Amino acid sequence: MRILAVSDEIVPRIYHPAVRERFGEVELVLGCGDLPPSYLEFIVSSLDVPCLYVPGNHDGQPEHTDYGVTLTQPAGCICIDGRVRRYGGLVIGGLGGSLWYNGGAHQYSQRQMFVRVWRLLPRILWYRRANGYGLDILITHAPPAGINDGTGAHAGFAALRWLIERYPPRFLIHGHVHKNYRLTSSYDTRVGATQVINASGYRLLTVEPLASLRWSEYNPSRHQQG
């Protein structure tokens, strides 16, 4: 599956009338936070593909558009913050937000993020029993501690590091650490079984499903969403 991951910055190459010609092979969009709702709406409506996203630390305030509409969330997109969804054979989880620094929306202490990870863990374990490995992709806003991260408000979460070391997704895709900040020299790091990718701006990825769920063990009436 061809995936477009976006985060933090409006990219002129994407926010352009020719986006369909440039990215027409994309089958799924993943939003890793700090993007205006109108930007995500433009991408999914132009490419006619689904979008799963998590919020960043600058999200949460209404966007007052030039065309007179106030947006609080991107229409046609699915927020998977603290949830797990399955799409096209891929199991995708989401944990938005950054490290707490001024009390704004979607900011968490290290302890609070551990709580959020523990709340998501039963869903990860369920998929792990079903497919043998758990998540294909975890999208976050902040990186794991010590991996592609910076300092202060741009430091990573210890809970995310704990998660990928014990129940590794195939990919962890994050934003938050803008490449022009030059806070780190690493943006694409292998940690055990997990490839940790900084999608600040955008990244194009190809991710193939590894296995099919044993759907005979899955009851949709009990497990609609994460």
Side-chain angles (χ1 to χ4, degrees), residues 135-138 169-173 193-195 197 205-207:
L135 297 179
D136 289 285
I137 301 172
L138 177 64
R170 294 169 59 198
F171 298 88
L172 186 149
I173 305 173
T194 302
Q195 194 72 26
I197 297 171
L205 309 164
T206 300
V207 181

Side-chain angles (χ1 to χ4, degrees), residues 99-204:
L99 190 63
W100 189 97
Y101 60 95
N102 67 4
H106 309 299
Q107 296 177 23
Y108 304 97
S109 67
Q110 294 283 3
R111 181 173 181 176
Q112 287 172 324
M113 185 55 78
F114 265 109
V115 171
R116 302 190 77 221
V117 166
W118 276 98
R119 288 175 177 169
L120 190 65
L121 195 56
R123 296 294 290 145
I124 296 174
L125 294 176
W126 188 91
Y127 279 102
R128 189 177 177 90
R129 289 193 298 270
N131 63 17
Y133 58 91
L135 297 179
D136 289 285
I137 301 172
L138 177 64
I139 59 172
T140 67
H141 182 60
I147 306 169
N148 299 353
D149 65 345
T151 59
H154 292 90
F157 280 113
L160 297 178
R161 181 68 177 260
W162 178 90
L163 181 62
I164 67 173
E165 289 177 347
R166 286 159 179 81
Y167 306 100
R170 294 169 59 198
F171 298 88
L172 186 149
I173 305 173
H174 68 87
H176 191 47
V177 183
H178 297 226
K179 295 172 184 176
N180 62 355
Y181 290 175
R182 298 183 181 178
L183 297 174
T184 177
S185 59
S186 59
Y187 302 104
D188 194 335
T189 307
R190 169 69 63 173
V191 181
T194 302
Q195 194 72 26
V196 182
I197 297 171
N198 185 342
S200 181
Y202 79 96
R203 291 291 295 272
L204 276 171

Side-chain angles (χ1 to χ4, degrees), residues 1-64:
M1 179 179 295
R2 194 68 163 160
I3 295 174
L4 173 63
V6 292
S7 186
D8 297 283
E9 304 169 21
I10 295 176
V11 179
R13 178 173 170 77
I14 296 175
Y15 202 45
H16 191 279
V19 62
R20 191 174 183 89
E21 288 72 31
R22 294 170 177 172
F23 297 93
E25 76 280 13
V26 168
E27 301 169 77
L28 176 67
V29 173
L30 298 177
C32 296
D34 282 358
L35 292 170
S38 61
Y39 182 61
L40 290 179
E41 287 186 7
F42 171 82
I43 295 172
V44 300
S45 61
S46 297
L47 299 181
D48 193 23
V49 296
C51 173
L52 307 178
Y53 75 97
V54 296
N57 53 295
H58 293 299
D59 292 323
Q61 297 298 318
E63 178 193 3
H64 304 288

